[in-house]
Amino acid sequence: MAATSPAAFSVSGKSAIVTGAGSGINLAFASLLLSKNCNVLFADISLRPEAQKVVDAHASESDGKGRAVFQKTNVVDWDQLTAMFEAADREFGGVDIVCPGAGVFEPHWSNFWHPPGASPSAQDSPHGTDGVGHFATLDINITHPIRTTQLAIAAWLNPTHGAKASPTNPKRIVHISSIAGQTAAFTVPLYVASKWAISGFIRSLESLEPATGIRVNGVAPGLIKTPLWTDHPEKLAFVGEDDTWATAEEVADAMLRCVEDDGVGAGQLLEVGHGQTRKVMMFNDPGPSGSGHEVSRMGKGYEEAYGWLSQEGWGKVRGRKASWGNY
């Protein structure tokens, strides 16, 4: 495909799919899009009360504001991912922006330190599905955004409505990585691996925009006060009283820049902390620093993980039920 200079992009008058829009960063981004006259399909298993209020308030078209539609979606189910694109076609006549933002922060039910079949907390089967093993954390955090990206590109290159994606008819995919994709964390190695994967995936698709008009980029948030933390006391235990949170709204603003700002191009990552945003370089990057990037009690997580490892029989599968340790 021949490369052409991309056209300017505004979210106004466009339509979007946002997975995980029932809460947190994705809800903040969906709300921001709606406020800027962009329709949004909220694709999630369910909506928290604050998300339901947003959907209800934008259930019908109004001047200067987008329309919201909820599509119940389990992002590990590929048929349901396809269905959300079909719903966007029905409701909006297509989609221009896709954010496969749903994610989990290595909960105990899908966690490296809680092995399948050996921990009473683990919900991942030690026998897999049809003989193929899965960690739900990786299915949600890696496989779902990759498959959603495939479906978006396919929809734009083979549209049911309107013109094919091109540099003069641009489209956008914005991912959510993390500062964990630049660092390491003994306590949540699956989460860290998933965010390194997404950061690499974003960078690998840089060349897509000049040829097709489809820009893929993303954000790398730090410590953000969302239900990923606040609904999980075991994670909140890592946060000290003097640690600084960034907000979901700060991340949403950076995501809007990824979509609209030509200064944030394809394959790039914007790191977001408290009151600060910067581009993450592929090589020789100094790494995250400053306010909103650190938790001061991570040592508690190390102690906890080593405590689990000290349990007799850690990781040994003994049938479908665990036979060791208490959580």
Side-chain angles (χ1 to χ4, degrees), residues 15-60:
S15 296
I17 291 173
V18 182
T19 70
S23 65
I25 291 170
N26 298 297
L27 173 57
F29 183 50
S31 299
L32 181 60
L33 291 175
L34 288 166
S35 74
K36 293 185 175 295
N37 193 34
C38 180
N39 300 322
V40 181
L41 187 85
F42 283 57
D44 210 332
I45 289 177
S46 62
L47 299 176
R48 290 172 66 94
E50 58 270 28
Q52 186 66 63
K53 288 180 180 178
V54 173
V55 171
D56 291 345
H58 295 83
S60 58

Side-chain angles (χ1 to χ4, degrees), residues 165-216:
S166 69
T168 57
N169 182 33
K171 307 296 180 182
R172 298 288 187 260
I173 301 172
V174 57
H175 289 274
I176 301 178
S177 184
S178 168
I179 60 170
Q182 306 170 57
T183 59
F186 181 74
T187 55
V188 285
L190 295 184
Y191 179 77
V192 168
S194 74
K195 295 307 180 180
W196 277 87
I198 290 302
S199 293
F201 180 68
I202 290 167
R203 295 195 187 283
S204 296
L205 295 183
E206 177 182 358
S207 298
L208 193 64
E209 184 178 16
T212 68
I214 300 170
R215 177 187 295 179
V216 181

